[in-house]
Amino acid sequence: MTNIQINFLWTEFESPVFNASGPACTTMEELEKLWKSEACAIMMKSATYEPREWNPEPRYVDLEMGSINSMWLPNLGYKKYIEFSEILKQKYNKPVFTSVSGMCMGDFPKMVKEFQENSQVDFIEVNLSCPNVIWKPQIAYDFEATENILCLVENLWDKPIWLKLPPYFDPIHTNQVAEIIAKHPKIKFLTCINSVGNTLFINPEKEEVVIKPKWGFGWLGWTYIKPIALANVRAFYKILWNKVKIIWVGWIYSWRYVFEFLLAWASLVQLWTSFVQQWAEVFERINNELINYLKERWYKNAEDSIWKLKEL
Ligand code: RRO
């Protein structure tokens, strides 16, 4: 028997694959579909303090090797996700994640405290890779703000904290963030990386951009950014291997992507584009493919592959 279970602290995940805090995890109906799927956990939509609407369409477009989107973090506001988490925990037996995205510094501690006191979510992801104050960088690109937020939230949550990060393109930046993370032992997990923001696709026949919001600028995902994601996962592993575990958020299409990220040290992976394209069935397909591939390679457990990347 090939086993694809992953053990993290007190939790046994049935497989390494679940959904990213992106599409189709916003309403209770969508979250129930995730429960019925073979996703190993249920990630709820990243919540802001107040509800947010969608950007105008077209705001998501499939591309040859991925997708571009500019949704504008639509969600029902954190109070709804506290309510949903209660229903999910009462009815279903799967780990439940919440994700919080502050639109200002003060939103983070307020939401973390509310989830701590009023919900039974198993895990919290503090999303430092979200649009926040207009004309300011994503929080995780502002190292002072990152440090301040970590100081504000770390004592408000009594379990380990997961941080969602954007891609870093310069090793100096990775080192600087890793130094901050190392100072906060509550951070045990990194969700790494968010889509690559600020990208532009053009349709040359129509001579126009492909999505409507923000002059066509949007977040790029999937195969286009896999090498960036692999490098970020691996770089954080090199610096923080004895302090954090890494979850890759991504655009997995097949067993191959999962396996590459396990080799690079990701312990769990989250789906985005393939989830939008194929919905909940995608989890079953990828889990089955992964089992078959591991069998071919004589791995008894998916976890055994996490240590295996060779360097030349
Ligand atoms: O909602 C979005 O436009 C969006 C966000 Br905030 C994000 O962090 N990543 C993404 O792919 N889309």
Side-chain angles (χ1 to χ4, degrees), residues 119-167:
S119 85
Q120 291 176 33
V121 290
D122 299 286
F123 300 107
I124 198 159
E125 179 187 85
V126 176
N127 183 0
L128 298 186
S129 172
C130 54
N132 42 86
V133 182
I134 294 183
W135 303 125
K136 289 238 176 168
Q138 292 183 39
I139 294 163
Y141 287 147
D142 175 339
F143 300 134
E144 203 184 325
T146 297
E147 173 93 69
N148 288 342
I149 285 174
L150 297 182
C151 291
L152 286 174
V153 301
E154 67 190 339
N155 295 323
L156 298 173
W157 184 251
D158 68 5
K159 293 183 206 148
I161 291 176
W162 308 51
L163 276 195
K164 181 160 181 177
L165 296 175

Side-chain angles (χ1 to χ4, degrees), residues 21-22 45 52 55 59 69-74 101 127 129-131 138 164 194-196 214 219-221 251 272:
S21 177
K45 179 73 187 175
R52 282 168 71 92
N55 261 339
R59 54 189 171 232
N69 81 83
S70 179
M71 311 293 200
W72 199 230
L73 197 49
S101 300
N127 183 0
S129 172
C130 54
Q138 292 183 39
K164 181 160 181 177
N194 195 355
S195 330
V196 176
K214 290 210 283 188
W219 302 82
L220 184 68
W251 303 275
W272 209 117

